[in-house]
Amino acid sequence: MMPYILTQTIIVPVIAAIVILLTRRILGKKAGFIAGIALLYTTALLCIVGIRLYQGTVISESYLWGPYVSFGLLADGLSLPIALIINIICTALAFHSLRYIEQRVDILYGEEDEKTKINYYTAYFWLYLLVPAAFMGICFATNLIILYLFIELLIIPFYLLISYFGYIERFRVAVMCFLWGIVSGTFVLFASVLVYSEIGSFEISELDALAGSPIAVWVALLIFIGLFIKMAVFPLHVWMPWVDGEAPTCIAASLTIYANLAAYVIVRVLILPLYDDLKVFSIPIMILALITIIYGALLAMAQTDVKRLCACSTIGQISFSVIGLGALTIWSLEGGLYYFLSHILGKAILFSTAGIVVYVTGIRDMAKMGGLIHKMPITATLWITAATILTGVPLTSGFTGKWILFTGVFAAYPGYVGQAIAILGILATILTAVYTFGAAKRIFFGPLKPELANDTKIRDPPLTMTIPLLILAVISIIIGLYPKPILELFHSVIGLI
Amino acid sequence: MSNELIFLLLFLAPVVSSIPIALAYKNKGWTDKLPYLSVFGIFISVVMSIYILVNLDGQYTYSWIPDLGINFVFMIDYLSSYMGVITAVIAFFIAIYGLEYMKGDYRPSWYWFCFNLFTASMLLVVYSDNLFLLFVGWEGLGAASWGLIGHWFRDDDDIAYVGKAGRKVGPLEFSWPPSFGGWRAISTIRFGDVPMFLAIAAIWVFAGTLNISEINWHTLFITLGAAGTIILMVCLLMGLFTKSAQVPFCEWLMTAMTGPTTVSALLHSATMVAAGAFVFLKLTWYIEPWHMHDVPGVEYVFIFVLAIGLLSGFYGALCGTGMRERKVLLASSTMSSIGLMFAAAATSYWIEIEVAGMNLALLVAFWYMAIHAFAKASLFLVAGHLIHGTHSRFLCGDFEFGKRMKTAFAVTLIASSFLVGIPLLTAYWVKSSMDVLYEHLWHHHDMTLPLVLLIVISLLYSAVLAKFLSLNFIKGEKPKHEHLEGGGLMKLGYVLMVAMLFVISCGIILFEEAEHFRHAGGEVMSIGVGLAIFAVFVVAVYKPSISALSRFGSFLSDRMYLPYLNDYILPKIGFFISHILDDYVNPAIDGFFNTKVIPGLFGWTSRRVRSIQSGYLSRYINIVLGLVMIILVIVVILVRGVWQ
């Protein structure tokens, strides 16, 4: 057995980041490959963990960190599938970024000398490596303080990445990302302190001691507020169109993971230990999620900027998971988490494809595009694939996710309110088709604009940008066709409720 | 050969055989040769479907995700075994035609992959007993149709458009390019698929199984109550009606004519629009509504279907009389025919007549579907050849032209006359039974209107197809361009297709279940209606257009301005709301949290705090004095409070 296997999934990217930082002049443009290889390695580690878990071995590691807190990591049926899919996406995005960020550095720092440009290029990758490391930390953390720590740590690389490589008003947007992150983290911290004052422990496994106490409701409320900010639930969504829209597209995809990962945190720290105490929140959460789904979709429909469209779509899509969590049935919870995985896969493809379009054409306004499929068939295929995943077309993970989610929601409430929410939630998916396929029509179909037709540079980007996304599409289809392994793993934990 | 292999070959052969051409999209040499492989894949499906018809029966189950009720469950019954063969054979003939029709096209890879996916998806719909699996095929149909309708996505050739370029009716341009046609199809279909998904999820939750043949529909409807049953069935029907282009969801079908003609032929005959009617038949087959007169709500559902079916039949046939575009005219007539299929199947609620152990109403609907499939596919393939031959999508062709296009002329004559219900020809017998069904409603349930509507629709329908025949080969304008060379495989395609009508005629003579058709054909009313249809057909061939009615014809040709609903009213409402949110609501929330109120409060507080540190002594003295005053006030309040 490989030692410290879970710790390695956090430490290896951090070490790789330090190596890149220290040897950036020597590595130059190879830094991206180092990042990619480090993440491939951690993906392999997670696959090993997955196999062992499937054989029935739960893996945990623990280190004493201080008088009150131990640094514990746990890979069980809930955390492992999520960590694995996130790590795969981060790996794909690392390879996808190789050429993308090169162009971004040229655009932003083209007038600087070569040494400075290399500094920025490598900075992207060492900062980027901290993101999957923090994601792994959140997935595997066994106590509230470690969880809070990783949630807060994530904000730093995001802040710097947006500042260095973002688009319009990138400094202001970076600050916005930072501040909203801090605010939401603070709520989680308050809740953690409240928990400690009540039960004398930060351990998630001991949170069930709170069950039935009046404090449990307050803890839940604080965590819900904190995490709903991250999940961009209406009306706390306002940061999302800015931050997701103006971040570099690979980082925007990571930000989607960051936002959606809160669904996992809610299940881990609230629903599993405090299931009965949360029933009071069920209907309000579902209503809030429903409003957010419709609101996000309508916002997306109004966008002409391709990146903003993706960002607004994230608002609505995350709330599908929230509806599942709100319904509080086993299937709805598993469906909510499954849909979260499907969404981040689909959104990583959609955002990155939007990035490719911007990378190739230099245009963000969809009104100025059209007919691009003729010159960029692979890119168009990727967009359409992402649209099918997000819309929930059968054989993709999106469809399977929605199926599990909504059958769970449907069964949750025999009364009219719950069923009406389920019906409206499903009907709202029509809007997803409107903005994803509508955008496909505007970008890729119709006559090719003369200014685009004459531009010989407009063609499919290098394979390093498209193959990682195709791999993500294939994964979405595989888990859509055969969701059983993931569902069994989820069920091994959530089924215990 | 094992049954698993049969099903694998049936569904996967078309898809797998089209993957090479999809991958070779950049290599013209390969894309010229590989269509033959794609056609061979469909041929394998034909062989498998015939094998299934002859050798298999009953339910076949293979595990997928049993915990969720999702399995590969195939039901080989009367409907699926015949419909499977019909689908595969029609797709095969159209594919043969397509080998020549699509030669030189700029996207053969896209076309063949989507075409074969389309075929495989329909086969999945036909054979699936599991509703989830059926929905997979259903959505596959939607996705493939989107790809095929928008195939000529460049929108650079007027021949692929629907409507006259630049013609405006009010603020709306009545002209639709292929890219818009594809978009319209997917958006309309999605509008129905989502409620259908909801209905399937509800069935799983309330019935505990997704297998159509195993669901205890009676118990399910009793559990749901009248309101629940109506909601469930209407949600399910939304998917079927949108896919089958029934009123008011029919507009996508008209603009779907922007796709290649082979696509239109497949779309109208044995897939897509037929899928909706077929699934309704399949569901009704197992629901057995004629045994559900004690279940509240069911009757309303079947009245609803009957009404929508007849309304669509009337609307389609009436609009068809005013159409001037070849394919759109046929599309309109298809909508009418599909409406009649829905309506005929819906009458099963009131009809308990059994023929060879099957409900007559469902048999009538199914046989009419089969006849319509081959006849309409033939007409579409001819229309495609005519469009190639005249380089015009509008009806044109005089008798001289007809003589030069003898085969196409003969096929059109056979297909249209066999379809409309002229006595002794194929559809007559089935339509005679249809007359009997409606006569039964009139005599036993006091429903006169359906019979009246059926007769009116039949007459209008006859006029529409006669117009198509006449204005293309007899009385139309002389074509401006004539390009009559080639067409060998295209002719082979539609000749084979129309020949199948004779095969079905043999079935009517020989099959046990067709006994009622033969009997009904001899009824006085059927003969009367048949002769009226014949008379209208002859008159319409002789006088295919009436200039005095041209304004009304134009109104009909504009589909009674229904495009306004699709292209103007609904999008305007949707985008109006989204822009209100984007322009006003979101900036207001953004202003509160992000840009003005809360940041402003922080800024204001920060400025106040910083203003204390001005460095001027007077400022500090003022602040100290102010604090002293506040403390004094507090002390006074506290002291007074203590004294009291």
Side-chain angles (χ1 to χ4, degrees):
Chain A
M1 173 61 191
M2 204 170 272
Y4 313 116
I5 195 161
L6 298 180
T7 314
Q8 281 192 61
T9 60
I10 299 169
I11 293 294
V12 168
V14 174
I15 292 172
I18 294 167
V19 169
I20 292 172
L21 175 65
L22 296 177
T23 60
R24 58 190 184 279
R25 299 278 158 74
I26 304 162
L27 286 174
K29 292 194 173 166
K30 290 183 194 118
F33 285 101
I34 300 290
I37 289 163
L39 292 173
L40 273 178
Y41 174 72
T42 52
T43 304
L45 290 181
L46 290 169
C47 288
I48 294 168
V49 175
I51 292 166
R52 295 204 57 204
L53 198 61
Y54 216 69
Q55 291 165 344
T57 315
V58 173
I59 296 172
S60 65
E61 291 162 18
S62 184
Y63 314 92
L64 199 61
W65 196 30
Y68 307 112
V69 182
S70 67
F71 186 94
L73 301 171
L74 170 75
D76 60 2
L78 188 59
S79 56
L80 190 269
I82 290 169
L84 180 60
I85 298 283
I86 288 176
N87 216 63
I88 290 171
I89 296 172
C90 289
T91 312
L93 291 175
F95 285 106
H96 173 82
S97 310
L98 292 172
R99 297 294 289 271
Y100 172 81
I101 215 66
E102 194 178 325
Q103 192 212 41
R104 199 82 204 113
V105 169
D106 277 343
I107 290 171
L108 291 169
Y109 307 105
E111 289 173 4
E112 305 284 341
D113 60 83
E114 203 54 36
K115 204 186 284 179
T116 313
K117 284 205 273 186
I118 287 290
N119 278 349
Y120 278 113
Y121 183 81
T122 51
Y124 173 84
F125 287 101
W126 72 259
L127 284 169
Y128 177 75
L129 279 167
L130 301 179
V131 174
F135 283 151
M136 293 306 105
I138 294 171
C139 288
F140 295 133
T142 59
N143 72 59
L144 290 171
I145 287 297
I146 300 295
L147 189 74
Y148 166 76
L149 184 79
F150 282 115
I151 289 174
E152 293 293 86
L153 277 178
L154 253 180
I155 303 167
I156 298 166
F158 279 139
Y159 169 77
L160 292 171
L161 285 163
I162 296 169
S163 300
Y164 289 158
F165 307 104
Y167 287 76
I168 302 162
E169 295 189 74
R170 62 181 197 271
F171 298 113
R172 190 169 85 87
V173 170
V175 171
M176 201 186 285
C177 174
F178 190 82
L179 287 178
W180 279 95
I182 292 287
V183 170
S184 79
T186 306
F187 280 98
V188 177
L189 182 64
F190 277 148
S192 307
V193 173
L194 204 57
V195 168
Y196 188 79
S197 69
E198 189 70 12
I199 63 171
S201 168
F202 288 114
E203 289 301 309
I204 294 169
S205 59
E206 290 172 30
L207 278 175
D208 51 6
L210 268 183
S213 110
I215 292 291
V217 177
W218 290 104
V219 168
L221 188 65
L222 285 170
I223 292 180
F224 275 135
I225 293 173
L227 296 181
F228 281 0
I229 291 174
K230 289 218 184 297
M231 297 173 94
V233 173
F234 180 88
L236 305 169
H237 65 279
V238 279
W239 64 276
M240 182 63 89
W242 289 102
V243 174
D244 233 15
E246 304 307 332
T249 46
C250 336
I251 298 306
S254 306
L255 277 161
T256 304
I257 299 172
Y258 161 73
N260 220 332
L261 190 54
Y264 161 76
V265 178
I266 287 175
V267 173
R268 173 66 81 189
V269 304
L270 288 182
I271 294 175
L272 289 178
L274 304 172
Y275 179 77
D276 289 325
D277 298 283
L278 298 184
K279 285 182 179 162
V280 65
F281 294 105
S282 176
I283 295 278
I285 286 177
M286 287 167 76
I287 291 172
L288 214 50
L290 183 66
I291 293 169
T292 312
I293 289 171
I294 296 169
Y295 186 85
L298 287 170
L299 271 190
M301 278 168 61
Q303 305 307 314
T304 53
D305 178 333
V306 63
K307 288 184 87 257
R308 277 280 171 129
L309 176 129
C310 297
C312 291
S313 138
T314 304
I315 296 171
Q317 290 288 321
I318 291 176
S319 278
F320 279 110
S321 295
V322 179
I323 277 204
L325 304 191
L328 286 174
T329 65
I330 289 174
W331 281 121
S332 76
L333 294 171
E334 290 175 12
L337 289 178
Y338 189 91
Y339 192 76
F340 148 46
L341 296 182
S342 170
H343 171 224
I344 58 177
L345 280 166
K347 196 48 70 64
I349 301 171
L350 194 80
F351 254 124
S352 305
T353 312
I356 290 173
V357 171
V358 178
Y359 170 90
V360 171
T361 63
I363 302 169
R364 286 175 59 162
D365 186 354
M366 288 185 285
K368 293 177 182 165
M369 300 176 193
L372 284 175
I373 191 172
H374 186 57
K375 292 192 151 200
M376 303 170 69
I378 298 174
T379 311
T381 308
L382 283 168
W383 182 283
I384 293 163
T385 310
T388 56
I389 295 170
L390 296 175
T391 310
V393 171
L395 303 188
T396 65
S397 53
F399 180 70
T400 316
K402 278 186 179 144
W403 172 261
I404 303 163
L405 169 66
F406 280 111
T407 47
V409 173
F410 215 73
Y413 289 92
Y416 287 111
V417 179
Q419 299 215 347
I421 290 170
I423 290 170
L424 291 171
I426 295 174
L427 293 181
T429 62
I430 296 171
L431 298 174
T432 313
V434 172
Y435 67 75
T436 52
F437 282 95
K441 179 182 168 287
R442 285 201 273 178
I443 300 169
F444 295 107
F445 297 97
L448 190 62
K449 296 265 160 62
E451 55 275 25
L452 301 175
N454 300 329
D455 190 340
T456 51
K457 285 180 194 158
I458 295 179
R459 57 174 183 269
D460 274 322
L463 291 176
T464 50
M465 291 184 84
T466 50
I467 286 179
L469 306 181
L470 286 171
I471 291 170
L472 295 184
V474 170
I475 290 171
S476 166
I477 291 167
I478 290 171
I479 67 169
L481 278 172
Y482 197 63
K484 204 175 162 194
I486 291 180
L487 289 177
E488 277 183 0
L489 287 172
F490 281 163
H491 203 71
S492 67
V493 178
I494 295 174
L496 300 174
I497 290 175
Chain B
M1 204 187 290
S2 72
N3 294 335
E4 290 94 328
L5 187 61
I6 299 286
F7 287 116
L8 272 178
L9 285 172
L10 176 76
F11 300 120
L12 292 185
V15 179
V16 172
S17 65
S18 63
I19 289 173
I21 194 169
L23 295 176
Y25 72 98
K26 277 187 176 168
N27 188 322
K28 191 169 180 325
W30 280 109
T31 55
D32 284 346
K33 290 176 198 133
L34 284 169
Y36 292 94
L37 180 64
S38 304
V39 177
F40 180 69
I42 298 176
F43 177 71
I44 292 174
S45 290
V46 173
V47 174
M48 293 304 121
S49 66
I50 293 171
Y51 179 89
I52 289 170
L53 174 70
V54 176
N55 295 305
L56 301 189
D57 188 28
Q59 195 188 61
Y60 296 84
T61 305
Y62 308 98
S63 180
W64 184 6
I65 320 168
D67 290 349
L68 294 171
I70 299 167
N71 293 303
F72 296 100
V73 186
F74 305 111
M75 174 55 81
I76 312 302
D77 55 13
Y78 182 84
L79 290 179
S80 63
S81 53
Y82 281 106
M83 191 65 189
V85 175
I86 292 169
T87 305
V89 167
I90 287 179
F92 179 59
F93 291 164
I94 295 173
I96 290 173
Y97 175 99
L99 286 172
E100 184 164 349
Y101 183 81
M102 295 305 288
K103 202 173 263 180
D105 189 80
Y106 61 83
R107 282 208 305 173
S109 302
W110 179 275
Y111 170 80
W112 285 105
F113 181 74
C114 289
F115 186 89
N116 282 25
L117 177 67
F118 205 34
T119 307
S121 301
M122 184 62 193
L123 288 170
L124 198 58
V125 168
V126 169
Y127 288 104
S128 293
D129 191 34
N130 187 283
L131 278 168
F132 185 93
L133 194 63
L134 185 147
F135 198 68
V136 171
W138 187 262
E139 292 284 80
L141 280 177
S145 69
W146 169 74
L148 288 168
I149 294 165
H151 175 75
W152 288 320
F153 72 95
R154 289 181 192 164
D155 301 343
D156 56 356
D157 189 354
D158 178 70
I159 205 143
Y161 277 53
V162 164
K164 279 187 183 168
R167 182 171 164 266
K168 279 196 159 187
V169 177
L172 195 62
E173 187 171 329
F174 268 46
S175 165
W176 297 269
S179 64
F180 191 84
W183 157 242
R184 224 184 191 198
I186 192 88
S187 55
T188 312
I189 288 162
R190 199 70 202 153
F191 190 77
D193 288 354
V194 172
M196 187 177 173
F197 170 82
L198 171 82
I200 295 173
I203 288 172
W204 163 239
V205 170
F206 292 108
T209 176
L210 286 170
N211 297 342
I212 299 170
S213 62
E214 290 169 9
I215 295 166
N216 188 333
W217 294 95
H218 191 274
T219 312
L220 174 67
F221 292 153
I222 292 283
T223 310
L224 292 173
T229 301
I230 291 169
I231 292 171
L232 178 88
M233 289 305 287
V234 167
C235 284
L236 205 57
L237 286 165
M238 281 287 286
L240 312 187
F241 285 156
T242 48
K243 200 75 117 200
S244 286
Q246 297 296 283
V247 170
F249 310 112
C250 48
E251 262 308 300
W252 75 264
L253 185 63
M254 308 302 159
T255 45
M257 296 305 104
T258 52
T261 305
T262 44
V263 175
S264 310
L266 192 59
L267 202 84
H268 285 252
S269 55
T271 62
M272 201 72 180
V273 282
F278 178 76
V279 171
F280 182 67
L281 264 174
K282 191 171 181 160
L283 290 170
T284 311
W285 192 273
Y286 289 100
I287 289 173
E288 298 185 347
W290 53 93
H291 291 146
M292 291 214 182
H293 289 226
D294 60 327
V295 182
V298 176
E299 185 173 12
Y300 295 113
V301 171
F302 282 83
I303 288 175
F304 176 61
V305 178
L306 182 68
I308 293 287
L310 288 173
L311 189 63
S312 303
F314 181 66
Y315 174 85
L318 189 60
C319 287
T321 59
M323 298 290 183
R324 308 293 292 188
E325 288 177 68
R326 284 174 170 138
K327 290 205 293 176
V328 184
L329 178 145
L330 291 177
S332 199
S333 72
T334 297
M335 177 192 166
S336 178
S337 296
I338 301 284
L340 290 185
M341 290 169 210
F342 269 108
T347 60
S348 63
Y349 180 83
W350 300 274
I351 306 288
E352 288 191 57
I353 305 167
E354 284 203 353
V355 180
M358 292 173 273
N359 183 286
L360 175 66
L362 300 182
L363 268 182
V364 168
F366 181 66
W367 277 74
Y368 184 57
M369 182 182 283
I371 295 166
H372 174 264
F374 288 106
K376 197 50 71 66
S378 308
L379 291 172
F380 264 108
L381 295 185
V382 168
H385 196 179
L386 292 175
I387 292 168
H388 260 204
T390 60
H391 204 71
S392 171
R393 58 197 159 89
F394 294 96
L395 295 163
C396 63
D398 54 6
F399 194 58
E400 286 304 312
F401 176 73
K403 281 199 277 188
R404 284 196 289 278
M405 296 277 283
K406 282 187 212 71
T407 318
F409 189 2
V411 167
T412 307
L413 182 63
I414 295 168
S416 54
S417 59
F418 277 42
L419 178 60
V420 295
I422 291 172
L424 305 181
L425 303 181
T426 321
Y428 169 73
W429 306 101
V430 179
K431 283 196 120 183
S432 297
S433 277
M434 206 182 277
D435 294 338
V436 171
L437 298 178
Y438 287 85
E439 209 181 347
H440 181 92
L441 294 189
W442 176 31
H443 287 316
H444 300 280
H445 301 278
D446 290 333
M447 290 199 261
T448 322
L449 189 61
L451 180 63
V452 174
L453 272 174
L454 175 70
I455 295 170
V456 172
I457 292 165
S458 300
L459 298 176
L460 286 171
Y461 194 84
S462 176
V464 171
L465 291 194
K467 177 183 171 181
F468 180 81
L469 173 72
S470 182
L471 288 180
N472 275 324
F473 297 105
I474 304 168
K475 297 228 160 193
E477 287 173 16
K478 187 176 167 51
K480 288 180 184 135
H481 305 276
E482 284 191 29
H483 173 80
L484 305 176
E485 297 90 52
L489 281 175
M490 285 157 70
K491 280 181 195 162
L492 178 67
Y494 54 70
V495 167
L496 285 170
M497 194 74 79
V498 86
M500 296 306 292
L501 289 173
F502 293 98
V503 176
I504 296 178
S505 298
C506 293
I508 290 174
I509 296 167
L510 299 172
F511 285 11
E512 184 196 352
E513 62 267 29
E515 185 198 337
H516 190 277
F517 303 158
R518 297 192 290 269
H519 175 74
E523 296 276 331
V524 178
M525 197 183 90
S526 301
I527 295 169
V529 174
L531 289 174
I533 288 170
F534 180 58
V536 168
F537 192 83
V538 172
V539 170
V541 167
Y542 179 70
K543 189 146 183 67
S545 53
I546 304 165
S547 53
L549 294 175
S550 65
R551 287 190 69 179
F552 183 59
S554 180
F555 168 67
L556 296 179
S557 172
D558 290 334
R559 283 99 73 190
M560 304 182 191
Y561 305 132
L562 195 61
Y564 264 94
L565 181 69
N566 266 66
D567 298 349
Y568 200 80
I569 298 169
L570 287 177
K572 284 275 177 202
I573 292 171
F575 284 104
F576 175 75
I577 296 169
S578 72
H579 281 291
I580 289 284
L581 292 182
D582 193 46
D583 296 341
Y584 300 102
V585 179
N586 210 47
I589 301 171
D590 207 24
F592 181 79
F593 284 111
N594 235 10
T595 54
K596 296 212 164 60
V597 180
I598 291 182
L601 274 174
F602 276 104
W604 182 82
T605 314
S606 159
R607 277 194 301 278
R608 292 296 104 195
V609 172
R610 273 181 284 141
S611 69
I612 294 168
Q613 304 154 357
S614 64
Y616 294 107
L617 189 61
S618 59
R619 186 83 168 181
Y620 295 117
I621 291 169
N622 286 341
I623 290 167
V624 171
L625 283 175
L627 284 173
V628 169
M629 290 299 288
I630 290 168
I631 291 165
L632 280 175
V633 170
I634 293 169
V635 168
V636 168
I637 290 168
L638 287 175
V639 170
R640 281 176 64 90
V642 171
W643 278 347
Q644 282 171 359

